Amino acid sequence: GCWGAERKRVRGSRAMGTPVALQIFVAAAKAVVRVFIIAAVGCWARRKELLDADTARVMSRLNGAIFLPCLLFTVLGKAVKAEQLQNVWLLPIAAAVHIFFGWVLGKGVCRAFDVPREFRGPLVAAASFGNTFALPIVLLDAIIGSGNKVGKLQFTREDNAAMVLYLSAYMTVLTVLMWTLGPVWMKGEDESFDECLDEDPALEGGPPRSPTDGPSVRPIGEARSESRVDLLELELAEGGSGPSEGGDRAGRQSQMSEPKKSLWRRCAAALAPAANVNQLAAVLGILVGLTSPLRRALFDEDGALHVLGSCAELVGAAAIPQVIVVLGASLAKGPDHSLCDRRTAVALGFGRLGVLAMLNVGTYYCLRAAIPAAAVPASKAFWLTFLIEGATPTANNMMLQVQMYGSKRAAGGIGACIFWQYAMAPVVLTGTISLFLAIL
């Protein structure tokens, strides 16, 4: 009897050990397969000529103007609560830190692989912003479940409920920064805000640019956002005008002030995409979440404005599938390596899924040593969320952003980056999550 019980215990312990890695692999594979299945719909539609490149761009604009703002507003509005955010203050800060790590990674890849200037900004954006909700929620739900025991970790039902709060707290900062910095970076390095300062010799102590030197900006690429095109065309029109024939003092003063005007116009043109409806929707969602009466009115079933809230949820539900369909359409002929070759895309994938994950592990140990235990939730699900959020593939929204603000060639490069990262994810992401569970 005792020997039989012991053999059952040994077999049980082995069974517990094997499903841990298998469970993580299946969770990662399910999330990736889901993306590939939906993307296959877009690929099929493109091959059947139901969805051409122009239609995909129109879908992206519609998504960015209506569907995604509704999704951001409802997700943040329902989940963000002032009393709960007090305990998870670290996650919004972590979002900014992870973006910084990604920015450093993107700059390093650009320098190491001599990325074309047109694609440097989009690549930095792809390195900086990870999939922070759709993929993590699938992974965390598979691991935590309704109280799973994974190795030495025992999760509870409360951990599963708190998981959505942790993800939403992380998204409060990440979403705002994604839709502030992302559109600016998607324009490409040729027209970045940093070069606004570099292109003006008057700021370097040199002579001011003469109006006869021609326009102060480079020609814009194809398929830019309409508001930005208007700003840049206005600048080109003014920059190309010659000096006045009178040569009087007023004319010279106007000529001397031209560099300053041109500088501000260039900066305004570079930062114009940062003011967009998705950023506004994220901010409004956070404000609604923090305002309890308004949140209840919109999202409680008996709320006075529940009809509006439920309509916004229905519209927002179409955002993620539509983005993935457009991604699939862009990959119908395989990854486009014209701007982002295979080496660059694979290097970025290992950087996001591997290097950033290791940096996040180091950050985890530093924070556990520096922060009092009472300052953050005691649940292991909190730290698991922190670790996973810093090790996900590029956000699918990067495809939406490049369709809205970048060039067609840059969209192909973003598609190649996402394709190779999701191809690596079942193996590399499984390995990193196994590491995370081992150190918690």
Side-chain angles (χ1 to χ4, degrees):
C2 294
W3 174 244
E6 179 65 18
R7 283 197 303 173
K8 288 181 180 180
R9 187 188 67 79
V10 172
R11 284 200 303 266
S13 63
R14 288 176 181 173
M16 282 296 294
T18 303
V20 171
L22 182 61
Q23 184 182 26
I24 298 168
F25 177 81
V26 170
K30 279 183 178 179
V32 172
V33 168
R34 183 188 303 183
V35 171
F36 273 98
I37 290 174
I38 300 174
V41 175
C43 181
W44 174 83
R46 180 67 179 272
R47 289 182 177 273
K48 292 294 183 180
E49 298 183 353
L50 298 175
L51 181 60
D52 57 18
D54 292 334
T55 305
R57 296 185 71 82
V58 172
M59 287 179 61
S60 295
R61 290 183 181 180
L62 182 65
N63 198 326
I66 299 175
F67 297 115
L68 187 60
C70 288
L71 177 66
L72 296 175
F73 175 78
T74 55
V75 168
L76 293 173
K78 291 178 67 176
V80 175
K81 299 177 182 178
E83 60 273 16
Q84 294 175 328
L85 284 179
Q86 294 176 357
N87 296 326
V88 294
W89 56 271
L90 181 62
L91 291 174
I93 298 174
V97 173
H98 291 161
I99 291 172
F100 173 73
F101 286 163
W103 177 83
V104 173
L105 170 67
K107 288 292 186 180
V109 171
C110 287
R111 184 178 295 272
F113 292 92
D114 194 22
V115 174
R117 295 181 68 85
E118 180 183 351
F119 192 61
R120 291 179 188 175
L123 186 140
V124 169
S128 300
F129 301 109
N131 188 322
T132 57
F133 192 80
L135 180 60
I137 199 169
V138 173
L139 295 171
L140 289 167
D141 184 64
I143 296 170
I144 297 172
S146 57
N148 293 342
K149 183 176 183 181
V150 184
K152 298 178 181 179
L153 300 177
Q154 177 64 63
F155 295 103
T156 64
R157 291 180 180 271
E158 289 73 20
D159 289 333
N160 196 300
M163 171 185 68
V164 177
L165 169 66
Y166 300 152
L167 293 174
S168 300
Y170 187 92
M171 286 179 62
T172 54
V173 168
L174 182 128
T175 304
V176 173
L177 291 180
M178 176 186 289
W179 286 98
T180 302
L181 300 175
V184 176
W185 286 338
M186 283 300 173
K187 295 184 306 179
E189 191 170 297
D190 285 350
E191 298 158 43
S192 66
F193 175 76
D194 294 339
E195 290 193 352
C196 291
L197 302 179
D198 296 338
E199 289 179 358
D200 200 334
L203 298 179
E204 306 260 344
R209 184 190 299 273
S210 170
T212 58
D213 291 341
S216 56
V217 295
R218 298 180 176 89
I220 61 174
E222 295 179 9
R224 304 297 190 184
S225 66
E226 296 174 0
S227 61
R228 208 167 111 257
V229 170
D230 293 339
L231 282 169
L232 291 175
E233 285 179 349
L234 175 63
E235 183 184 355
L236 287 170
E238 293 184 1
S241 60
S244 62
E245 296 180 0
D248 56 357
R249 180 177 303 175
R252 289 194 300 270
Q253 289 177 349
S254 175
Q255 180 176 335
M256 292 179 64
S257 64
E258 178 64 22
K260 184 174 181 180
K261 290 183 179 179
S262 180
L263 167 67
W264 285 111
R265 287 188 182 277
R266 289 201 301 276
C267 294
L271 295 177
N276 58 75
V277 66
N278 290 283
Q279 183 200 55
L280 177 63
V283 173
L284 288 178
I286 295 169
L287 292 177
V288 167
L290 296 176
T291 308
S292 298
L294 186 55
R295 184 184 67 249
R296 289 193 294 267
L298 280 168
F299 300 116
D300 285 359
E301 291 188 2
D302 57 347
L305 302 176
H306 180 254
V307 172
L308 295 178
S310 61
C311 287
E313 287 186 78
L314 287 173
V315 174
I320 293 177
Q322 192 185 68
V323 170
I324 301 175
V325 166
V326 171
L327 172 63
S330 70
L331 295 172
K333 297 180 181 179
D336 180 1
H337 294 298
S338 58
L339 280 183
C340 180
D341 59 34
R342 187 179 289 103
R343 289 188 315 142
T344 305
V346 171
L348 179 64
F350 278 114
R352 269 215 63 87
L353 299 175
V355 176
L356 294 188
M358 295 303 102
L359 283 174
N360 209 28
V361 169
T363 305
Y364 161 79
Y365 279 115
C366 292
L367 291 173
R368 290 299 300 266
I371 297 177
V376 294
S379 169
K380 298 294 184 181
F382 174 84
W383 288 111
L384 182 60
T385 303
F386 170 87
L387 290 167
I388 289 179
E389 288 285 27
T392 56
T394 293
N396 294 326
N397 278 335
M398 292 300 99
M399 177 55 71
L400 174 61
Q401 285 192 0
V402 75
Q403 291 277 2
M404 294 175 66
Y405 302 103
S407 67
K408 292 181 180 179
R409 279 158 46 87
I414 292 294
C417 291
I418 294 177
F419 173 84
W420 286 108
Q421 287 181 53
Y422 275 94
M424 301 176 197
V427 176
V428 181
L429 189 58
T430 300
T432 54
I433 294 178
S434 300
L435 173 63
F436 298 158
L437 292 171
I439 66 176
L440 285 175

